[in-house]
Amino acid sequence: MISVVILGTGNVAQNLFEALIGTNDINIIEVVGRSDDSLSYFQRKSKVSTDWDNPPKADIYIIAVTDDAIKEVSDKINVSGLVVHTSGSVSLSTLSKHKKRGVFYPLQTFTSGKLIDFNEVPLCLETHRKKDFKILNTLGGKISSNVQVIDSEKRRVLHVAAVFVNNFTNYMYSIGNDICSASDLDFSILYPLIRETANKIEYLSPYSAQTGPAKRNDLDTLHKHLNFLKDKKQRAIYKLLSNAIKASNEKEL
């Protein structure tokens, strides 16, 4: 039985809690949060506390808070178990107070009110000491079929890549939605296109999957689109991305 304390109450903490709470051989001892209100999600299923200084004894302490709060939490707690954080961009050395330290990074986007199937979430693991890896790997394997050893440097690389494929892509959806709304069009008409674009990169490289007027060097269509776009920010983004797509073949717009 692996005993776990979760420190944090946000989207990542909630998803980890739900993935772990119903798993054999894992016992969530306590969830620690900043206030009773923030702990309301957990209190029906687990013991909760607002005492950050002295969490109960456990095998693993998962710090699932915002990146800028990780060091503060790490420095505050006095424990003998393995302390891990869940960030993609924060170094393992941030937990330097603890001899037993590691990273338990789920490579996924988490949204308030939506639970993720952790079985398909890549878990990127790292520990300061080799002897601590076994228990962290066991914990990861209980909830995910995709557990990998990823050190701090490679994890930072993955996090940058993730910002491009997730956060920036979602912002493109936001622009598309604004363009549709301005012309009284339902954004949902683009859902099949979005799904197909995402699905095909599982069997094609992103380069091979690229389509559109910039890929074809269709200058007439590109300039028509630019003339249509009245919002300066949208025009700038359209031009920047189109030039990036066609830069390897032709001169810029």
Side-chain angles (χ1 to χ4, degrees):
M1 181 73 71
I2 300 174
S3 56
V4 176
V5 169
I6 297 176
L7 300 114
T9 58
N11 298 333
V12 175
Q14 290 180 14
N15 272 270
L16 278 172
F17 177 83
E18 293 295 344
L20 295 169
I21 193 70
T23 304
N24 292 334
D25 301 322
I26 295 177
N27 180 23
I28 297 182
I29 303 295
E30 187 172 87
V31 179
V32 182
R34 295 188 182 277
S35 67
D36 291 336
D37 286 344
S38 68
L39 288 163
S40 61
Y41 179 91
F42 308 91
Q43 60 187 5
R44 294 181 181 177
K45 298 181 180 180
S46 173
K47 182 181 177 183
V48 298
S49 172
T50 56
D51 183 2
W52 293 82
D53 296 314
N54 298 294
K57 184 177 180 181
D59 296 315
I60 300 177
Y61 298 83
I62 302 177
I63 300 177
V65 298
T66 57
D67 288 1
D68 57 359
I70 291 174
K71 179 172 174 52
E72 176 188 354
V73 174
S74 172
D75 290 347
K76 182 174 291 188
I77 60 175
N78 295 296
V79 297
S80 59
L82 175 61
V83 178
V84 301
H85 70 64
T86 59
S87 172
S89 61
V90 175
S91 172
L92 175 59
S93 62
T94 303
L95 306 178
S96 58
K97 173 183 176 179
H98 306 280
K99 181 169 66 174
K100 297 179 180 180
R101 58 184 182 269
V103 178
F104 194 75
Y105 170 50
L107 183 52
Q108 184 54 274
T109 179
F110 297 95
T111 305
S112 178
K114 186 178 188 301
L115 295 177
I116 298 293
D117 179 5
F118 251 86
N119 186 56
E120 298 182 357
V121 175
L123 288 177
C124 305
L125 308 186
E126 180 184 11
T127 56
H128 176 61
R129 308 189 312 173
K130 290 183 179 180
K131 64 173 69 175
D132 295 324
F133 182 78
K134 183 178 179 180
I135 188 171
L136 194 62
N137 187 52
T138 299
L139 180 70
K142 293 287 184 179
I143 61 174
S144 174
S145 60
N146 187 355
V147 180
Q148 301 188 37
V149 181
I150 305 288
D151 63 24
S152 291
E153 182 179 351
K154 289 184 178 179
R155 191 173 65 258
R156 282 194 294 268
V157 172
L158 278 175
H159 195 257
V160 173
V163 167
F164 274 93
V165 303
N166 175 45
N167 306 121
F168 290 169
T169 298
N170 188 74
Y171 186 68
M172 296 300 103
Y173 296 159
S174 178
I175 292 176
N177 184 63
D178 290 344
I179 291 171
C180 286
S181 296
S183 295
D184 198 27
L185 289 167
D186 191 332
F187 180 66
S188 65
I189 196 172
L190 296 174
Y191 290 173
L193 174 62
I194 292 170
R195 286 192 291 268
E196 175 61 17
T197 302
N199 290 338
K200 67 183 177 181
I201 62 169
E202 293 190 8
Y203 57 89
L204 292 173
S205 70
Y207 180 83
S208 298
Q210 185 68 57
T211 61
K215 174 72 172 183
R216 300 191 303 269
N217 195 31
D218 183 350
L219 295 180
D220 183 56
T221 297
L222 290 169
H223 286 292
K224 283 181 179 177
H225 288 175
L226 284 171
N227 289 333
F228 166 79
L229 295 170
K230 305 305 180 187
D231 184 283
K232 290 183 179 180
K233 181 172 62 178
Q234 292 176 1
R235 283 176 56 85
I237 292 172
Y238 186 96
K239 191 171 183 178
L240 176 67
L241 293 177
S242 294
N243 281 330
I245 292 170
K246 67 193 292 294
S248 61
N249 298 310
E250 294 291 338
K251 63 183 180 181
E252 295 185 349
L253 293 171

